[in-house]
Amino acid sequence: MISTVRDLAAEALFVSCLQPSECPNRETVEQAITTMILRHGSDGCAAGVATEFGDHPDVAVQRMAWVHTELTEVLAPRMPVLH
């Protein structure tokens, strides 16, 4: 189940307009993922990824690498702030 959720999040972030140059924070990444899932659904996100890999495989590989780096940070457990 976790890998399915991670895969959907990766596809959604991939098809979003966020760019690595924006250095998005956790909240922005989460919002982009949610927006793309609501807008395109899981099938639409997957189709967008497939299209990009078909049309621009070299760029798509780089983008997916960035997506997985971002997801590692977003899906990491949040550490409580100790005062």
Side-chain angles (χ1 to χ4, degrees), residues 50-72:
T51 298
E52 285 303 308
F53 270 92
D55 293 347
H56 310 285
D58 50 332
V59 177
V61 169
Q62 292 174 348
R63 181 156 179 87
M64 190 56 82
W66 169 76
V67 163
H68 283 288
T69 299
E70 289 297 312
L71 287 181
T72 298

Side-chain angles (χ1 to χ4, degrees), residues 6-63:
R6 184 179 177 87
D7 291 345
L8 176 56
E11 292 167 351
L13 183 56
F14 184 95
V15 299
S16 76
C17 294
L18 282 183
Q19 297 299 314
S21 61
E22 295 177 61
C23 299
N25 62 26
R26 181 184 194 126
E27 183 179 323
T28 303
V29 170
E30 290 174 351
Q31 185 176 34
I33 291 168
T34 301
T35 299
M36 292 297 101
I37 291 170
L38 292 174
R39 183 176 297 161
H40 301 293
S42 61
D43 290 345
C45 290
V49 172
T51 298
E52 285 303 308
F53 270 92
D55 293 347
H56 310 285
D58 50 332
V59 177
V61 169
Q62 292 174 348
R63 181 156 179 87

